[in-house]
Amino acid sequence: MQDKDKNYLFLILVHLLLGVVIFNFPIVSKVYGYLILIVGILVLLKTRNKNDEVLYICAYIVGSEVFLRMTNGNPNHEFAKYSLVFFFLIGYVYSGFSKMSLPYLFFIITLLPGIIVANETLDFGVEFRKKISFNLSGSLCLAIAAMHTFGRKLTVGQIGNLLLLMGLPVISTAVFTQLYAPDLKEVLSGTSSNSELSGGFGPNQVSTILGLGMFIFFTRIILYSRTKLIFIVNVLIAFYVSYRGLLTFSRGGMITGFLMILIFLFFIYFKSKKKSRIKLNYFVIIFVILVSAIWMFTSLKTEGLIDKRYANKNAMGVEKKDLSTGRNQLVEEEVNWFLDSPFFGIGVGKGTDYRTAKYGFLYASHNEITRLLAEHGMLGVIALMILFFTPIFYYMGNKDNIFLFCFLVFWLLTINHAAMRTAAPSFVYALSILKVKFDEEEPTVHRK
């Protein structure tokens, strides 16, 4: 066995054990969280970002964010986003950024009038700074990350390393969710999203990161499994992470991960040579078998409730009226606010004020697209156009980035069901505008 494979197996084992250790000794989570930050700073001071260490550090932070949130390891809720901004700014100092990334600077500028409007419209006594931070930290993180990554050159192999660093803490997350609720029968009674099966945390966020992990390890099965042993390990991890993701009963993250895999298979197939396409046909068969096995196993374990959940039925088999679990109403409200204030919007954070007054409790938006429209007006439309069309135009001269549309779809679908609650959509979006080239030794599906 090569040293590279030994190191890979060691990292997998460490993160499996990390989930067990933090479940039994919660204080370790805080140590783990601070260690990520400290080690990241030391690495950057030593390397001066000569080999894009900023990207690798940020990838690991993104992968660990939900795990640290559910185990109370973060100093504050937005710690991951602030950390990304901090590290990318250091990256600017060492490596600068491309002048071609100026659309993202303009994106930041389009958000500023919404802050001015908010200053005029938010009720007296509102914690103004926290409201602005909660609603704009994701957008700011995205812009800062994108300005760093725009046009930066990486190989497909280096992208694989980035994704691995994101995926490793996802393994710990999956282990923790299992230990938190080991007996399904005790906590599973309906088809609604289940916090008990999500490590006691928000199923939407847990599903999002597990769905991303599912995609990461499926890609490793095809591109980065050089030996039969590593192939088997990657299959097992992909199965396990997918299974735990389905058990959250939160559909958004898992559907997103599944679509990313389909898009990846489409692009890798048409980028491959004829001989590789023949081998990829076998992987498509393996993919279908694996997905079917995961679904049947989960269905058996949940006594068919997972089937009803994805069929939008309750535990009795009766179809639910609202597929969006109430989010359509939020979208309609935000569209109406946009129509009422189409030029500069109602102001950043004002939507939560309206909902608090209407429903009697804080109800934040789940859809970043309609939130941008409602709170920023036409400038929000411009901001969205910048984000959506820049990677697509960039693809014309960047067709070796086989992950580009996978990353773009993750961002787009995630902000539709989970807004920008986590740093994941910001960072993954930024990866879509990397300049990717194939390694000198192109990844194949060959197994030793």
Side-chain angles (χ1 to χ4, degrees):
M1 185 186 296
Q2 296 181 2
D3 289 341
K4 187 176 181 180
D5 292 338
K6 289 179 181 178
N7 292 337
Y8 180 66
L9 295 175
F10 175 73
L11 288 172
I12 296 294
L13 180 60
V14 166
H15 285 85
L16 284 169
L17 292 175
L18 185 63
V20 176
V21 170
I22 289 181
F23 176 78
N24 289 286
F25 306 98
I27 189 64
V28 175
S29 182
K30 291 192 178 295
V31 177
Y32 172 56
Y34 281 110
L35 270 178
I36 295 172
L37 182 63
I38 293 168
V39 171
I41 292 172
L42 292 176
V43 167
L44 271 188
L45 290 176
K46 181 179 179 180
T47 63
R48 302 176 67 85
N49 200 39
K50 289 181 180 178
N51 295 303
D52 295 303
E53 284 80 9
V54 164
L55 287 175
Y56 296 102
I57 294 165
C58 290
Y60 194 82
I61 291 171
V62 168
S64 63
E65 179 181 14
V66 172
F67 181 50
L68 288 171
R69 280 185 179 181
M70 68 166 56
T71 57
N72 298 313
N74 280 329
N76 62 63
H77 196 69
E78 301 295 317
F79 182 70
K81 295 174 190 173
Y82 295 151
S83 297
L84 260 63
V85 170
F86 170 73
F87 280 114
F88 278 123
L89 289 177
I90 295 176
Y92 290 168
V93 173
Y94 288 134
S95 307
F97 60 89
S98 170
K99 292 180 181 178
M100 297 296 290
S101 66
L102 289 180
Y104 296 103
L105 180 60
F106 187 66
F107 166 73
I108 295 176
I109 293 172
T110 62
L111 303 178
L112 298 180
I115 299 175
I116 297 172
V117 174
N119 190 42
E120 298 295 326
T121 60
L122 286 177
D123 295 334
F124 180 77
V126 171
E127 296 182 48
F128 183 76
R129 182 188 62 80
K130 289 184 177 180
K131 266 193 183 296
I132 300 299
S133 172
F134 177 79
N135 286 283
L136 292 187
S137 59
S139 297
L140 178 63
C141 181
L142 183 152
I144 297 294
M147 290 179 71
H148 179 87
T149 59
F150 195 98
R152 195 167 294 275
K153 296 179 181 178
L154 265 70
T155 66
V156 172
Q158 289 171 319
I159 292 287
N161 292 334
L162 276 176
L163 292 176
L164 175 60
L165 283 170
M166 256 197 293
L168 287 171
V170 177
I171 298 172
S172 305
T173 306
V175 171
F176 186 89
T177 60
Q178 179 172 352
L179 295 174
Y180 190 90
D183 191 343
L184 294 182
K185 292 182 180 180
E186 290 186 2
V187 298
L188 191 59
S189 57
T191 61
S192 299
S193 54
N194 194 311
S195 62
E196 289 296 313
L197 290 171
S198 305
F201 195 64
N204 202 9
Q205 292 184 31
V206 177
S207 168
T208 296
I209 200 65
L210 290 176
L212 180 58
M214 176 178 71
F215 166 76
I216 289 170
F217 287 102
F218 266 110
T219 61
R220 296 201 69 79
I221 292 172
I222 297 176
L223 290 184
Y224 309 106
S225 298
R226 296 288 183 178
T227 66
K228 291 180 181 178
L229 174 62
I230 300 302
F231 172 77
I232 293 170
V233 168
N234 285 330
V235 167
L236 291 174
I237 295 172
F239 186 101
Y240 181 61
V241 170
S242 303
Y243 168 64
R244 296 309 309 182
L246 285 172
L247 286 183
T248 65
F249 276 72
S250 181
R251 295 168 293 193
M254 300 308 295
I255 292 173
T256 298
F258 180 75
L259 290 177
M260 289 173 75
I261 293 169
L262 292 182
I263 293 169
F264 170 75
L265 288 173
F266 175 84
F267 276 92
I268 195 68
Y269 187 85
F270 285 99
K271 280 291 180 183
S272 298
K273 297 174 183 178
K274 189 175 181 179
K275 290 183 179 179
S276 294
R277 286 185 182 183
I278 295 172
K279 294 176 182 178
L280 277 169
N281 290 333
Y282 293 107
F283 277 89
V284 171
I285 295 172
I286 291 172
F287 169 69
V288 172
I289 294 172
L290 189 56
V291 169
S292 301
I294 294 167
W295 186 268
M296 288 188 290
F297 183 75
T298 310
S299 179
L300 181 65
K301 286 290 185 179
T302 61
E303 298 181 350
L305 288 177
I306 194 67
D307 306 78
K308 293 175 182 177
R309 172 60 173 171
Y310 279 78
N312 195 42
K313 297 178 180 179
N314 62 21
M316 301 299 295
V318 179
E319 188 171 350
K320 298 178 182 179
K321 294 181 180 180
D322 186 1
L323 178 65
S324 68
T325 59
R327 289 174 191 163
N328 279 343
Q329 183 179 347
L330 303 183
V331 168
E332 289 175 8
E333 288 176 345
E334 288 170 338
V335 170
N336 289 332
W337 294 336
F338 168 69
L339 295 175
D340 291 339
S341 304
F343 296 105
F344 295 105
I346 60 176
V348 178
K350 188 62 180 176
T352 55
D353 272 11
Y354 285 158
R355 290 198 183 97
T356 301
K358 182 177 180 179
Y359 302 114
F361 58 90
L362 181 65
Y363 206 157
S365 175
H366 283 263
N367 192 307
E368 187 70 9
I369 293 176
T370 53
R371 188 199 69 78
L372 278 170
L373 296 179
E375 298 186 358
H376 297 272
M378 287 305 299
L379 288 174
V381 175
I382 295 171
L384 286 169
M385 290 177 66
I386 291 171
L387 295 184
F388 184 74
F389 287 110
T390 301
I392 292 177
F393 287 140
Y394 188 56
Y395 177 72
M396 302 306 173
N398 187 31
K399 293 185 178 180
D400 280 345
N401 190 346
I402 56 176
F403 296 101
L404 188 152
F405 285 98
C406 300
F407 295 154
L408 193 60
V409 163
F410 175 81
W411 164 75
L412 185 61
L413 294 185
T414 299
I415 67 172
N416 265 280
H417 72 82
M420 296 187 80
R421 297 284 195 274
T422 66
S426 300
F427 181 73
V428 172
Y429 174 92
L431 297 183
S432 72
I433 49 176
L434 287 166
K435 184 74 173 179
V436 176
K437 61 180 181 179
F438 285 99
D439 308 71
E440 292 182 7
E441 183 183 349
E442 184 178 333
T444 66
V445 293
H446 175 65
R447 302 285 173 266
K448 294 181 181 179

